[in-house]
Amino acid sequence: MTSSFFSSRASLFALSSVLALSGCAFAHEGGKKPQATVKAKKVVKPVQGDEFANFNQWRDVADFIDRMAEKNGFDKKELQNTLSKTHYVDSAIQLMKPAPPGKPKNWAAYRSRFVEPVRIDAGVAFWNTYADALTRAEKLYGVPAEIIVAIIGVETVYGRNTGNFRVMDAITTLAFAYPDTPNRSTRMAYFRGELENTLLFARDEKIDPFSLLGSYAGAIGWPQFMPGSIRKFAVDFDGNGHIDLRNSPVDAIGSVANFLVQHGWRTGEPAVFPATVDMTENWQRFIGQGLEAKFSVAELKAAGVTPTIEPPSDMLFGLVDLQNGAEASEYWLGAPNFFAITQYNRSFFYAMSVIDLSRAVRAARNY
């Protein structure tokens, strides 16, 4: 999702809702695989908020309404009426709480949930169906078609799992009742901004804000854009005069490509190079250095990081460590394009699963 602050725990929960799909792996018998097709998106019933909460009685909500009226020209009574229909979603609160200490991170297990037959076959079908739009996006933005395909596959299994929470309910709840965590004030400020963007987007597009369905955090549509990302990065790629990430896969394709470009994607450059580390050297200082490629190949080599495929000497990298439970970790040199993907979801696991799924879908399509 493009809500880049979310934890990997949130991502792991989100994917648990699609395990029923991704677990339906099947074997293909002999020769070429049968032609896959894009399945129609199923109609989902909105999740009703757990309970009614009169948000209009909350002081912070009253302050929010005042700011929306002053800053964006909203009518206070209309906003009060809108918020009077909003429900409190306790499940969104529970899902935002930090995960309890548990098993160590396991890249192999995470990867297996995304790079598997159902998602690969669906990716091939999606690519075949929207080949023209993908080619156009690749030419316009310089983002390879397989990367666009993989992100939409990881996010929603090509529109099959876009979420059925009312976005107004989820975002309002998180904006004013975020769980008690060390970063609570920052998170509530973020979600209040997203509530503002939800209302502005609905006004701009002349739609009922309660018609927007999404994840428990408020991410919307095929590519799971937060409302703020829709307003900043989404594009009307099908040319019908409206941005609709819920019902237009073509808009989703163009929007994903534009998001990546706006977050540093570089045309024609690779994303990762495999590497090993010398345990006797000082390579650990490159771990946890943020989501940015800022070290030269020479610096990394001097500290005991050895690329197994020689990268261009003039590129910068970050050291990517993929922890594998009790097994040895994998190490990669992440180029700027790798870190562009992490702006979609701030997780090395996420970005690498996108890259691996993109390779698998391309290989299956060319089979």
Side-chain angles (χ1 to χ4, degrees):
M1 59 168 59
T2 60
S3 47
S4 60
F5 72 85
F6 292 120
S7 67
S8 58
R9 175 184 181 269
S11 296
L12 285 169
F13 179 85
L15 65 86
S16 69
S17 63
V18 299
L19 288 181
L21 285 172
S22 61
C24 297
F26 53 88
H28 298 287
E29 297 180 2
K32 283 185 175 267
K33 293 190 284 187
Q35 180 66 42
T37 58
V38 175
K39 294 184 178 180
K41 181 181 175 181
K42 64 182 180 181
V43 176
V44 296
K45 182 179 180 180
V47 171
Q48 184 66 43
D50 298 275
E51 58 187 84
F52 173 74
N54 190 348
F55 283 108
N56 285 315
Q57 294 181 347
W58 297 24
R59 179 68 260 173
D60 286 350
V61 175
D63 291 342
F64 173 82
I65 290 173
D66 287 343
R67 288 195 301 273
M68 289 292 286
E70 181 179 353
K71 179 182 176 182
N72 299 303
F74 279 87
D75 182 89
K76 287 186 181 182
K77 289 186 177 180
E78 289 182 4
L79 268 184
Q80 289 170 349
N81 181 56
T82 297
L83 287 166
S84 72
K85 303 173 186 176
T86 305
H87 285 237
Y88 179 91
V89 186
D90 185 65
S91 54
I93 298 296
Q94 299 307 316
L95 289 165
M96 282 296 174
K97 290 182 177 179
K103 296 181 180 180
K105 294 180 180 179
N106 190 312
W107 159 239
Y110 184 99
R111 181 186 186 278
S112 69
R113 292 167 177 159
F114 294 109
V115 188
E116 45 77 39
V118 167
R119 213 174 298 250
I120 293 168
D121 288 344
V124 172
F126 180 84
W127 194 336
N128 288 340
T129 301
Y130 300 104
D132 290 346
L134 286 161
T135 298
R136 184 159 53 92
E138 187 166 352
K139 289 180 178 178
L140 180 61
Y141 295 104
V143 180
E146 61 263 32
I147 293 292
I148 301 170
V149 169
I151 284 180
I152 296 173
V154 167
E155 290 293 338
T156 61
V157 198
Y158 307 100
R160 299 183 197 179
N161 189 60
T162 58
N164 60 341
F165 287 84
R166 292 201 311 181
V167 169
M168 278 293 296
D169 290 344
I171 288 182
T172 303
T173 299
L174 294 171
F176 299 105
Y178 198 89
D180 188 12
T181 61
N183 55 2
R184 182 173 189 261
S185 61
T186 302
R187 294 298 186 251
M188 286 201 300
Y190 171 84
F191 278 106
R192 288 178 195 184
E194 290 301 335
L195 178 57
E196 177 182 6
N197 280 308
T198 300
L199 292 165
L200 287 169
F201 174 67
R203 184 174 71 177
D204 292 345
E205 290 293 318
K206 297 179 174 55
I207 59 175
D208 178 359
F210 290 99
S211 71
L212 296 169
L213 303 182
S215 74
Y216 66 88
I220 296 168
W222 288 62
Q224 292 290 276
F225 272 29
M226 292 297 288
S229 290
I230 292 177
R231 297 189 68 235
K232 289 179 183 176
F233 308 114
V235 296
D236 172 24
F237 207 55
D238 63 13
N240 70 350
H242 296 279
I243 294 171
D244 186 358
L245 302 185
R246 298 175 294 165
N247 301 301
S248 173
V250 175
D251 281 359
I253 286 167
S255 298
V256 168
N258 185 52
F259 180 94
L260 292 175
V261 168
Q262 297 300 322
H263 287 85
W265 185 274
R266 300 183 182 182
T267 303
E269 290 189 4
V272 290
F273 290 85
T276 60
V277 296
D278 184 342
M279 295 300 177
T280 66
E281 297 291 341
N282 190 29
W283 58 271
Q284 291 93 340
R285 67 187 178 90
F286 294 110
I287 298 297
Q289 293 297 310
L291 303 177
E292 183 182 357
K294 54 187 177 182
F295 303 108
S296 69
V297 176
E299 285 179 281
L300 290 158
K301 286 183 176 179
V305 180
T306 303
T308 57
I309 298 175
E310 192 64 24
S313 61
D314 59 346
M315 288 181 66
L316 296 179
F317 298 92
L319 182 58
V320 175
D321 62 320
L322 303 178
Q323 299 173 43
N324 229 346
E327 302 298 321
S329 296
E330 281 186 26
Y331 296 95
W332 296 79
L333 298 186
N337 285 348
F338 178 87
F339 291 105
I341 298 172
T342 66
Q343 299 309 304
Y344 214 107
N345 183 304
R346 299 175 68 87
S347 163
F348 286 175
F349 279 16
Y350 176 90
M352 200 66 203
S353 69
V354 167
I355 291 167
D356 281 359
L357 180 60
S358 75
R359 292 168 173 167
V361 172
R362 174 172 280 282
R365 187 169 185 262
N366 293 336
Y367 175 68

